[in-house]
Amino acid sequence: MSQFHSDRLCIIGVGLIGGSLARALRQAGTVNELIGCGRSVDNLQKAVDLGVIDRFELDAAAAVQAADMVILATPVSHTADLYRQIAPHLDKAAVVTDVGSTKGSVIADIESVMGQLPVHFVAAHPVAGTEQSGVEASFPELFHERRVIITPTETTNAQALERVIAMWTVVGAVISQMSAEHHDEVLAATSHMPHLLAYGLVDTLATMEERRELFSYAAGGFRDFTRIASSSPEMWADIVFANRDALLPVLQKYLQDMQSIQGIVEAGDKEALLQLFRRAKTERDRFASLVGRFVKPGDSE
């Protein structure tokens, strides 16, 4: 694997993920110039003031000019419009990658704009984050020993893939590769569904008449389970609908299982409930021992 280096790297969307990647790359000393792009002058100026980026552009077409690496770190629903803006202005050899939580929708949106997936585009997803947002929340260690899933296609350029792997490796990430379809199925169950449940539980309690008393007595279990409901509503609504096809079967399975649990409780079948709890505890403990090094406090993915 070659060492990563970029003369000019452009990050479109300088928030938690984009900002943290910029900080990590700057810390690694692998980029000569970091260009930021976004819609908020205040946020971009703050990124400059914090030393996250060197300069910024509000126009995506201007931002990507002469860049040899472009990172799309915007909500997945913006992918089609964004690629339409930047495609005519990309350097012929520029590598483009993304950080979206869904991969099938991103690939399909770019194909809809370009007619086919450009060979120098490499879809990727860093499975890392916190419930915070904005460049102020970014920090260079966010991706250290976190998993980054890359989903190349049959047409992906080998050198482009190598550059994206090298970039994530230099910031300390652990790389996995799989198909976009498999990625979306896995993340639907392990990330998108938990967020849906956390938002749903908080909303359910908030609509109950006793909500003020309920929240005043809520303790660590409620706090830990619902922490991710403090994540960006706009971003997660985008993710849910972008991955709807993979998410709906998981949601249906969960609803069926909840009906079964309801039946167990109604029947007063303590032994059945104990078996379920014990089985869940065993699996949760096994999960923690197997993948604990990829999961850290504050993760929102």
Side-chain angles (χ1 to χ4, degrees):
M1 178 61 60
S2 62
Q3 179 69 22
F4 177 76
H5 177 79
S6 171
D7 285 328
R8 176 176 292 175
L9 186 143
C10 173
I11 297 181
I12 305 178
V14 191
L16 170 66
I17 301 298
S20 293
L21 180 56
R23 288 181 187 269
L25 290 170
R26 186 179 295 284
Q27 189 175 83
T30 58
V31 178
N32 290 345
E33 185 181 22
L34 278 161
I35 313 300
C37 180
R39 295 179 296 180
S40 169
V41 174
D42 290 342
N43 183 71
L44 291 168
Q45 185 58 56
K46 190 173 298 181
V48 172
D49 295 341
L50 291 171
V52 177
I53 57 176
D54 295 307
R55 63 180 179 86
F56 66 84
E57 298 279 355
L58 294 177
D59 178 43
V64 302
Q65 288 183 7
D68 55 60
M69 176 74 86
V70 177
I71 317 295
L72 309 182
T74 58
V76 291
S77 63
H78 297 180
T79 301
D81 286 342
L82 184 56
Y83 219 91
R84 189 176 291 110
Q85 294 175 48
I86 68 173
H89 306 279
L90 289 169
D91 187 85
K92 185 176 180 180
V95 174
V96 183
T97 186
D98 78 312
V99 300
S101 291
T102 64
K103 299 276 64 86
S105 69
V106 166
I107 290 172
D109 284 347
I110 294 175
E111 287 177 336
S112 72
V113 171
M114 302 299 293
Q116 60 183 4
L117 193 67
V119 297
H120 289 95
F121 175 79
V122 182
H125 175 207
V127 188
T130 74
E131 69 274 21
Q132 305 302 315
S133 59
V135 70
E136 312 97 306
S138 64
F139 57 101
E141 300 82 15
L142 179 61
F143 310 109
H144 183 66
E145 293 189 351
R146 308 292 183 92
R147 195 180 296 279
V148 172
I149 303 172
I150 299 178
T151 62
T153 68
E154 293 180 355
T155 61
T156 301
N157 177 271
Q159 286 72 37
L161 175 61
E162 183 177 345
R163 286 204 76 201
V164 172
I165 292 174
M167 180 187 72
W168 285 113
T169 300
V170 82
V171 300
V174 180
I175 310 300
S176 297
Q177 292 189 52
M178 62 181 67
S179 70
E181 181 181 11
H182 186 51
H183 167 278
D184 290 352
E185 291 171 350
V186 170
L187 270 293
T190 60
S191 176
H192 308 163
M193 183 68 177
H195 279 80
L196 200 61
L197 298 182
Y199 282 118
L201 176 60
V202 174
D203 188 62
T204 294
L205 297 187
T207 57
M208 296 172 68
E209 291 184 5
E210 309 88 348
R211 63 185 179 278
R212 290 184 180 178
E213 182 184 21
L214 290 172
F215 286 123
S216 69
Y217 283 99
F222 178 82
R223 179 199 62 213
D224 294 343
F225 184 82
T226 62
R227 176 186 55 80
I228 54 177
S230 291
S231 303
S232 166
E234 293 77 16
M235 180 183 77
W236 279 100
D238 276 352
I239 291 170
V240 166
F241 284 106
N243 204 28
R244 180 173 53 184
D245 290 346
L247 182 56
L248 281 173
V250 182
L251 179 58
Q252 183 60 41
K253 175 67 165 61
Y254 178 79
L255 293 174
Q256 290 171 352
D257 289 346
M258 286 298 100
Q259 288 181 334
S260 296
I261 292 175
Q262 180 181 358
I264 289 171
V265 175
E266 288 176 344
D269 192 344
K270 183 177 180 180
E271 184 57 34
L273 192 63
L274 275 172
Q275 289 179 10
L276 187 152
F277 283 1
R278 287 167 179 160
R279 185 169 65 247
K281 173 177 166 44
T282 297
E283 292 302 318
R284 175 60 174 78
D285 291 347
R286 182 180 293 119
F287 157 78
S289 65
L290 287 175
V291 299
R293 79 187 188 98
F294 297 118
V295 180
K296 300 182 181 181
D299 277 351
S300 70
E301 284 279 359

